[in-house]
Amino acid sequence: MGIYFITVRSVTVGQQAENVMRKGGISCSLQRTPKWMEEQGCGYCLRLRTADVTPAVQLLRVAQVPFRRVYEQGSDGEVREVRL
């Protein structure tokens, strides 16, 4: 099972996104963005399980919470950007 990261521009936006997801029944954790994801200046990300990524992105879009990118880290350790 892979892990997904949704990057956001600031801790404030990350907290808004975390609240939206929790209200929507999606478990996630807000954390500092790993160094390899910081090329766009994204300092924070939400980490969540594979099964929750599509509904999480939909909730963020409906609530108009801006996010930058979505990354998947597969069981092989490989990280790739995904488009949803």
Side-chain angles (χ1 to χ4, degrees):
M1 178 187 216
I3 297 170
Y4 282 82
F5 300 91
I6 300 173
T7 60
V8 294
R9 293 198 81 158
S10 68
V11 69
T12 304
V13 174
Q15 291 168 336
Q16 291 172 346
E18 186 177 36
N19 287 335
V20 165
M21 284 196 247
R22 292 212 171 136
K23 286 178 183 175
I26 295 175
S27 177
C28 67
S29 63
L30 180 63
Q31 63 184 45
R32 292 284 304 173
T33 302
K35 291 288 184 198
W36 49 265
M37 277 192 241
E38 287 185 349
E39 63 195 43
Q40 296 270 326
C42 304
Y44 289 86
C45 66
L46 297 153
R47 179 182 170 150
L48 41 127
R49 296 183 324 224
T50 302
D52 293 334
V53 72
T54 300
V57 168
Q58 290 172 344
L59 281 173
L60 293 177
R61 286 181 176 145
V62 168
Q64 298 181 344
V65 176
F67 62 93
R68 307 282 272 149
R69 296 176 186 223
V70 179
Y71 294 93
E72 175 190 18
Q73 183 174 19
S75 57
D76 60 358
E78 196 70 27
V79 177
R80 56 198 143 278
E81 184 178 354
V82 294
R83 305 244 183 229
L84 299 174

